[in-house]
Amino acid sequence: MKFFVDTADIEAIAELNETGMVDGVTTNPSLILKSGRDILEVTKEICALVKGPVSAEVVATEAEEMIKEGRKLAEIAENIAVKVPLTWAGLKTCKTLTDEGTMVNVTLCFSANQALLAAKAGATFISPFVGRMDDINLDGMELISDIRTIYDNYAFETEILVASVRSVNHVTESALIGADICTAPPKVLKKLADHPLTDKGLAAFLADWAKTGQQIL
Ligand code: E4P
């Protein structure tokens, strides 16, 4: 499973990128606001830092304007994936930009039928928001499972990009279902390596090592 980092924080992306775990980046208007940066400038920097797809979201609501914004964002770098909302205007934009050879990430997906439409529009990625579904007592992971089944039934190539990931359990469950990608905030990705028995075991090894009086370097 691929990991995307869900942030527009350059320093956080750079730090995680050094571990080799960053297969791409997702941003949205709220994350751009949080970064305090200009969207075109920060997105260009992210694209230079990370080889994989970098999602940058349009903000127009009508297809004509959305397509123009998407084309402008796509000019930033070859690894841009234009992010469009799951509306009819977004689907039309998806079809147009995909036909032009641009990667498109259809976002704000909350149902299997929406995911079906995105695949039919040629989306490169579909972003179901599991955390926001869990927030209102819907089962986000059940949606991922349904989309996996539907996409496999018809051999759709659209990749399932699990979004709105709030916990390490979301990552495990996504991997078990066979989702293609998880995008998670840096703090969630960092937690994936945590285990109390690892900490305890390491402390014991280091204590014994100190008693040997030896050095490797
Ligand atoms: C990423 O593509 C999404 O925009 C993001 O994961 C949404 O996360 P949130 O629900 O925590 O804002």
Side-chain angles (χ1 to χ4, degrees):
M1 184 170 64
K2 288 176 271 188
F3 290 152
F4 286 5
V5 194
D6 199 21
T7 185
D9 180 336
I10 281 279
E11 283 178 16
I13 295 167
E15 186 191 343
L16 275 165
N17 203 29
E18 286 176 6
T19 68
M21 295 295 163
V22 179
D23 299 301
V25 174
T26 49
T27 67
N28 62 36
S30 304
L31 292 171
I32 294 295
L33 173 69
K34 201 171 165 190
S35 76
R37 301 282 312 277
D38 172 82
I39 183 172
L40 300 178
E41 285 175 15
V42 75
T43 306
K44 192 172 180 181
E45 284 178 34
I46 297 170
C47 287
L49 196 60
V50 173
K51 282 190 189 147
V54 174
S55 291
E57 190 161 341
V58 299
V59 290
T61 53
E62 300 300 327
E64 195 181 336
E65 200 65 13
M66 222 185 251
I67 291 166
K68 281 186 199 160
E69 288 183 352
R71 285 178 180 148
K72 181 159 183 182
L73 292 171
E75 278 173 9
I76 295 173
E78 281 190 356
N79 54 336
I80 281 287
V82 174
K83 210 172 179 191
V84 301
L86 213 153
T87 59
W88 285 111
L91 292 167
K92 185 174 173 187
T93 302
C94 175
K95 166 104 181 76
T96 303
L97 296 181
T98 300
D99 286 349
E100 292 173 3
T102 298
M103 289 186 285
V104 177
N105 175 359
V106 180
T107 191
L108 290 167
C109 171
F110 295 94
S111 79
N113 283 338
Q114 288 182 319
L116 185 54
L117 293 176
K120 285 179 71 65
T124 316
F125 308 106
I126 181 67
S127 289
F129 277 34
V130 294
R132 293 192 194 187
M133 291 186 71
D134 292 351
D135 287 345
I136 57 164
N137 280 333
L138 294 173
D139 191 339
M141 297 319 303
E142 189 180 12
L143 174 61
I144 301 304
S145 184
D146 287 349
I147 298 172
R148 180 75 282 158
T149 301
I150 290 168
Y151 281 10
D152 289 349
N153 282 349
Y154 298 97
F156 283 124
E157 290 179 5
T158 301
E159 293 191 71
I160 303 173
L161 199 177
V162 182
S164 189
V165 165
R166 305 270 168 81
S167 71
V168 291
N169 289 344
H170 278 149
V171 179
T172 312
E173 289 173 46
S174 299
L176 285 169
I177 290 167
D180 301 283
I181 310 155
C182 247
T183 188
K187 67 177 180 193
V188 174
L189 288 177
K190 283 184 178 176
K191 273 190 196 162
L192 291 173
D194 291 353
H195 199 288
L197 291 180
T198 304
D199 297 341
K200 191 179 170 190
L202 182 59
F205 285 154
L206 293 180
D208 286 343
W209 180 250
K211 289 177 202 160
T212 69
Q214 298 179 41
Q215 287 181 336
I216 293 176
L217 295 177

